[in-house]
Amino acid sequence: MKGGSKSKVPVSIWCGHQLLEVLQCISSSWTGPDLSVLAVRCYPTLPPRYLQVPGHFWGMALALTLRSNRSQTCSIPLTINTKSITPEKQRGKYAALSIAAMVIVVGLPLWWKTTETYRASLPYSQISELDTLQLQLTMEVDVIFTKGTLTAEQQNKVPMSQTQENYYKMNDKTGLRYRYEMKYRTATVMEDSALRMESVQEADVSLSQLNESPSGSLVIYVIPETSGLLPDGINVYMGIYRTAILRTSLHKEAKMEELLSVIGPKILRIIQTVTFTNNDIKASMSDRVPTGKFTKESLADSMRAFKSSYEITFSLLNPDPKSHDLHWDIEEAVDKYIQPFLDKLSGVANFSVDSQILYYAILGVTPRYDKTISSYTLSAESLPHVINPVEARLGSNAASSNPVLNFLLYVPDYPHCPLYIKDQNGATVQSNAFHSPRWGGIMVYNVNEKYLDNNRFPVQVNIDTVRVMEVFLAQLRLLLGVQLAYVPDDFLMESPANQGLTDWELDRFLWLRTLENIATATTTLTSLAQLLDEIGNIVIYDKIASQVYNAVISVQAAIAELEAGNLGFAFQSSKEAILASEKAFFDPSLLHLLYFPDDQKFAIYIPLFLPMSVPILLSLLKIAKEFRERRNMAKKKD
Amino acid sequence: MASFVGVQFTFCFRIIVILFFLHFYRTSLSAHEIETQASHFFRSGHTNNWAVLVCTSRFWFNYRHVANTLSVYRSVKRLGIPDSHIVLMLADDMACNHRNPKPATVFSHKNMELNVYGDDVEVDYRGYEVTVENFLRVLTGRLPASTPRSKRLLSDDRSNILIYMTGHGGNGFLKFQDSEEITNVELADAFEQMWQKRRYNELLFIIDTCQGASMYERFYSPNIMALASSQVGEDSLSHQPDLAIGVHLMDRYTFYLLEFLEDIHPASQSNMNDLFKVCPKSQCVSTPGHRTDLFQRNPNSVLITDFFGSVRKVEITMSTMKLNPNNTERTEIDVNEEMVTTLQHYVDQLPVAEIIHQKPKQKDWHPPDGFILGLWTLIILIFFQTYGIKHLKHVF
């Protein structure tokens, strides 16, 4: 025992020293980046440069573990054939085993736990269900036969209701079923008297008071051919509420079924014109169903991607303040003409309106003088180059990232007055304005005042805001996609005037936006799920998971509400869906796109685990070998 | 018999002629159809243009990378992309570098011929802000809510995006700031995320770095066209050494790219095939590469100005709304008098007094870091190694 311990000391010292040197070598050869990658994997928010120093600490900790282990293995050769050493050998064995057990029981789970990325569970199955979308749009249509359209015999046979269904297949995964629930009835006395009014506008107002129609529905009054309510050549009148008046001739002797088959297509035509056609739907769902790579309706182009908020900026450009002293009462104009429109859309989006006056801001194109009309002109080809130089000066609200719609009123400088815009055919444009999809509109405003007294510059100019707002409101409607792209010849659409927006236009907007939101939200969700599935290193926090759950629930709610025919609720749900899905997709925490190639992983783990695992494995092997030998010995003895 | 054969022959001939004409008619029709489809197809579907221009290297000897980026910035700005649609990332501020003999300038040509810094540069990400993380955040749109508009890429599904990068790279990566790198896989994943969220219509990727072609190898998202200054295994070389400034002013590829762009104006009809011919091996020394297999249009139908300029789509407004100026339906909103009369105070922009008189901040205590612990472990280790546990009582 004594001899053993005497000889053991120098060995263990030698062993320790050499080990230390080796370990110092290892730890100093440990370069920062390798370890830092591991550490980044453990602590994604820690900047890598902080991790270079603890590398040595790791080395030291490792040295301690190894020392206790290695000194045991070193002392083994010196203690052969001495029975008294056996307990010590036994102890070494236990030590090796317990270290191995520690590594397996504590070390491995700890390593696994600290390097794994947190991934909250997501409703993958529900999202994959959303990949195939079969929507049903239900719409209630009241068809009311007024006095003089039906005979008494026919009136008795008017069916209560009828449903008509159309199916529109967009692609393999997306289909739409339109379901029109037609309710037929004859007009009441009040309605008949309303329709006998002087003008169709008055009739429209009083009819709307009689019939409270919910959002997303339509009321169609059928009036006889002989009625003088509508002007000649007009068969359909669309009021500013949800009322349409259809003038048609019906056979007195025909059966009810025949009548309905005659009137059916006409009603369908009204519905499709004032709500949506397949093309409108295709355009609004283009996010989901690509409409051929490069062909898309110009309507879709003019619409901004759905955002809950818009910024509207009215700018007055005065390039020549020395000659013109411009005044515009923009506050009153916006209050009077733009705000009612925005109020109607307030449920759809938030708008913030601001205005500015820019001095010495010039267009990028020099106008040409046209002798025939003795004025300056801007050709249609030069218009695209007008916007960019001005835009640099516009500025924008730096605090928000909502889309901006710019409306510029340009008062040409004195030498270039008057200035007219020419269309492709060379004729001057009535409105003297143009617009650019997703950007805004520009109107050129020529100062009317005669310069009688040339010495008295600058000339005071009060801008006629009505004329300006007539153009800007029309442009705003176009840019938001409210304006009807196509009106058949025999339709008369009542202008919403100062309201800016009729009820049925709002409905149409809601229909299309609901579909667009559903389409966008489902694609966002599926692509998010796909991305998270593909890239395994992205951390998914609970907050994102809850957003995704919200979005999925809202999409499902929106689809259910559409089926039930509640347009308002459907829109609200679809809005929630798209907001939640966008929030989840664009969450800043989703950026841990840490990409670890395999060679880098080995580079990290080998210096860390190899020195530790080799002695452990060797001693385990040795123990196993001894155990087997002893068992063999025991067998032989038997 | 002979006549019968003749009749049959003429009959056959007639049929053949008729068939031929029919066939001709059909082919001419289909050709016409194809042509209309083609013209529709080749029309670029974008409404707005964006540019992300990135210089990734620091330090004075990398002057040329800043000059590269600024020159591209000048070109796209000249061709019409406004500052609001350009995200410019410069990893170092060469104009204010104290080694710069001409402060507030960055030259791209020898003998200080062309100052690309100018007086209206809007740098969005500067210095240490240029990181891989920020770059990927800009691309994918995952920025913190407080990020201002000018630092965002607010593109949509109708945007054509130009991405220009320059710096020091290797096979499959581009170094950022001497401390980190972006790999081609990360870049490809970022583009895929952009595509998934419809953040671009078409994307042109140009990279001027060593082994640049390795950066676009892994792209897999549609509608991307990519150009690089050199193939894998090749170095991209610099150009325009200047004795007064003491460094190279530009890289070869970008130099010739700009020479080419100088001839482009907003209405020019040059197409991408012309861009591919820029800087042949005789000039560049390296071999520029390009990749078009992901792109869906034929490169010779893609105008340079589809990416480098911004030609807006414009429609003439034909209809107006009729408004009634006398209609006073809207009730006047009462202006709250009290609200108006409350006095407004300006807050001091820079609270000088507070700054002067403030006390030095107390240092927060934090646990000893790994280095200290490691050091003490070492000391204790050596202590026990030398003295052993037995002699402890002699020491204390």
Side-chain angles (χ1 to χ4, degrees), chain A residues 563-585:
Chain A
E563 232 164 274
N566 301 329
L567 181 57
F569 292 121
F571 177 76
Q572 287 306 330
S573 302
S574 75
K575 192 175 159 185
E576 275 158 34
I578 195 165
L579 288 179
S581 66
E582 300 272 294
K583 225 175 190 175
F585 194 93

Side-chain angles (χ1 to χ4, degrees), chain A residues 97 178 583:
Chain A
L97 275 175
Y178 311 130
K583 225 175 190 175

Side-chain angles (χ1 to χ4, degrees), chain A residues 610-630:
Chain A
L610 202 66
M612 193 175 74
S613 55
V614 165
I616 293 175
L617 278 178
L618 282 179
S619 52
L620 279 182
L621 277 176
K622 199 174 158 58
I623 289 165
K625 205 171 135 194
E626 271 177 25
F627 180 70
R628 206 182 298 147
E629 268 174 14
R630 203 181 300 157

Side-chain angles (χ1 to χ4, degrees), chain B residues 238-363:
Chain B
S238 55
H239 202 252
Q240 302 277 322
D242 186 278
L243 287 177
I245 298 174
V247 285
H248 284 81
L249 298 188
M250 274 199 113
D251 279 318
R252 276 174 186 271
Y253 181 73
T254 310
F255 181 80
Y256 291 107
L257 175 73
L258 288 171
E259 220 169 50
F260 168 75
L261 287 178
E262 283 301 309
D263 297 332
I264 305 287
H265 51 89
S268 64
Q269 296 295 310
S270 309
N271 60 43
M272 283 295 156
N273 276 346
D274 301 326
L275 187 67
F276 297 154
K277 288 178 200 141
V278 162
C279 201
K281 200 172 180 190
S282 57
Q283 290 175 325
C284 249
V285 185
S286 60
T287 326
H290 58 265
R291 184 173 170 193
T292 55
D293 57 323
L294 297 167
F295 207 74
Q296 304 197 350
R297 288 193 288 161
N298 191 343
N300 64 22
S301 70
V302 183
L303 299 181
I304 301 290
T305 49
D306 281 356
F307 289 100
F308 281 93
S310 178
V311 181
R312 289 185 182 274
K313 251 185 214 163
V314 157
E315 288 169 85
I316 289 169
T317 311
M318 286 304 183
S319 59
T320 55
M321 296 285 296
K322 278 202 191 88
L323 294 175
N324 183 6
N326 301 320
N327 193 338
T328 50
E329 251 178 47
R330 199 178 156 72
T331 49
E332 291 279 314
I333 301 165
D334 303 315
V335 181
N336 199 337
E337 292 295 324
E338 286 172 33
M339 287 286 284
V340 178
T341 49
T342 49
L343 268 172
Q344 305 281 328
H345 291 287
Y346 281 104
V347 178
D348 264 347
Q349 292 300 301
L350 191 68
V352 179
E354 272 176 43
I355 292 171
I356 293 171
H357 297 296
Q358 69 189 353
K359 283 174 187 165
K361 209 178 159 189
Q362 292 278 311
K363 260 194 177 175

Side-chain angles (χ1 to χ4, degrees), chain A residues 53 287 293 295-296 335-336 388 391 402 431 435-436 438 470 475 498 527 582 585-588, chain B residues 40 80 82 137 140 142 149 156-157 196-198 296 310 312-313 315 317 321 324-325 330 371:
Chain A
V53 176
D287 225 20
K293 278 291 169 257
T295 60
K296 206 174 171 187
D335 244 20
K336 256 173 127 177
N388 283 326
E391 193 179 21
N402 300 324
S431 61
H435 60 268
S436 176
R438 304 194 181 195
E470 277 179 352
Q475 286 176 340
N498 288 24
S527 57
E582 300 272 294
F585 194 93
F586 286 117
D587 195 281
Chain B
H40 219 63
R137 282 191 190 283
T140 52
R142 298 203 174 107
R149 177 186 283 273
D156 51 38
D157 58 324
Q196 292 279 2
K197 200 62 203 75
R198 307 283 185 271
Q296 304 197 350
S310 178
R312 289 185 182 274
K313 251 185 214 163
E315 288 169 85
T317 311
M321 296 285 296
N324 183 6
R330 199 178 156 72
F371 180 72

Side-chain angles (χ1 to χ4, degrees), chain B residues 134-154:
Chain B
N134 276 347
F135 175 63
L136 292 179
R137 282 191 190 283
V138 167
L139 291 187
T140 52
R142 298 203 174 107
L143 288 154
S146 56
T147 315
R149 177 186 283 273
S150 61
K151 286 190 166 192
R152 285 172 186 265
L153 181 71
L154 293 168

